[in-house]
Amino acid sequence: MSGILFLRSAKDDEETDAYICAAQREGFEAENVGVLSSVFVNEDALSMLLEQSQQKGAVATSARAVNALRRVWDGARWNKQPFFTVGPSAISIIEQMGFTPSGSESGNASNLATFIIDNLNSSGPLLFLSGDKSLNILQERLKEAGISLDSMMVYTTGPNPQFRYQYEAAAGRLGTRLKWIVFFSPSGVDFFLEAGLSVGQCSVASIGKTTSACLMERGIPVHVEAARPNAQSLLEAIVKSDAK
């Protein structure tokens, strides 16, 4: 049985972990190791912005950004507004808040920008929620298209102070069975390297194009990339690679 290390934190609101379950269904032994630690910020400012009720929809590309909104949420009016997002974790939270997610099949920020530009039906500003490490691809595309944004940083991300210890412990448990290491964000790549770690002889998988680009820029070869940022697509890519 081969092993996989997912460099991600298990979600607190998930009864079962989608990535671990998908790996186990395919016959892998798998563990999560949280490389990042997040802190919510600007909650009072976000509450005030919501009270102004000027926005005609919202945009968020991560579950952490949506969770930041949920922490200050009390706006039934907003449930009639579009909420643009990608990623199954973010989509699940948005649906729990009463929204119908839009653009969920886009797959990445660039495609989501195209979807918003093609489908936005109002001229009012969109609430744009991000973290301190978020790339500006989506914001730049929307601004170039003349779409007004009320942008706010709602969380900061730093390295998990226990990451190296937790990584080495998990790798030790898997031992020689460890075959795959999976990266989920550019910041995760950087913190992995800053911890003095290397992928060694393991194969490397990426959750998407932005993370793949970062890995290759850092000299780490990417063996597979998920077609969509979800557990099923990721495991399909890994299994297909192993079958070669």
Side-chain angles (χ1 to χ4, degrees):
M1 179 183 292
S2 297
I4 303 177
L5 282 183
F6 297 115
L7 301 189
R8 63 184 290 275
S9 298
K11 301 295 187 297
D12 293 336
D13 55 356
E14 289 181 347
E15 292 184 7
T16 57
D17 186 282
Y19 287 87
I20 297 294
C21 289
Q24 291 175 342
R25 284 195 298 271
E26 297 295 342
F28 290 97
E29 187 176 356
E31 294 196 31
N32 290 314
V33 184
V35 61
L36 305 176
S37 177
S38 298
V39 177
F40 295 113
V41 297
N42 296 326
E43 292 185 342
D44 289 342
L46 179 57
S47 293
M48 292 180 63
L49 188 60
L50 293 173
E51 289 173 2
Q52 295 172 6
S53 301
Q54 299 298 315
Q55 297 80 26
K56 301 301 181 183
V59 183
T61 58
S62 73
R64 289 188 296 274
V66 180
N67 268 324
L69 177 63
R70 182 163 64 172
R71 287 165 64 90
V72 301
W73 182 251
D74 66 354
R77 175 195 70 84
W78 272 76
N79 297 110
K80 298 180 180 179
Q81 306 291 358
F83 203 129
F84 300 100
T85 191
V86 292
S89 296
I91 292 166
S92 175
I93 300 167
I94 290 168
E95 289 175 337
Q96 292 171 24
M97 294 169 66
F99 287 99
T100 299
S102 297
S104 57
E105 296 300 317
S106 300
N108 59 53
S110 180
N111 291 342
L112 180 61
T114 300
F115 180 89
I116 294 172
I117 293 166
D118 291 343
N119 291 277
L120 186 65
N121 295 319
S122 73
S123 59
L126 294 175
L127 175 64
F128 188 94
L129 305 173
S130 67
D132 62 321
K133 300 295 191 299
S134 300
L135 301 178
N136 294 323
I137 297 170
L138 184 53
Q139 286 175 284
E140 290 173 356
R141 288 279 312 280
L142 295 179
K143 289 179 179 178
E144 288 172 0
I147 296 174
S148 176
L149 300 175
D150 285 340
S151 300
M152 181 164 293
M153 182 179 71
V154 291
Y155 67 93
T156 60
T157 302
N160 170 8
Q162 299 297 316
F163 170 64
R164 180 169 182 138
Y165 167 78
Q166 293 171 353
Y167 176 89
E168 290 177 341
R173 287 189 292 272
L174 292 174
T176 58
R177 301 185 303 281
L178 177 57
K179 183 175 182 180
W180 287 92
I181 300 174
V182 184
F183 291 85
F184 287 79
S185 69
S187 52
V189 175
D190 288 337
F191 292 142
F192 177 87
L193 295 175
E194 289 171 11
L197 297 168
S198 70
V199 298
Q201 299 301 310
C202 293
S203 297
V204 172
S206 162
I207 197 62
K209 295 182 182 299
T210 304
T211 302
S212 294
C214 179
L215 284 161
M216 289 185 286
E217 287 173 3
R218 306 298 187 269
I220 300 175
V222 178
H223 298 89
V224 301
E225 175 184 296
R228 298 280 182 184
N230 59 51
Q232 180 179 345
S233 293
L234 177 64
L235 266 296
E236 286 175 355
I238 289 174
V239 169
K240 183 177 180 179
S241 177
D242 278 349
K244 292 180 180 178

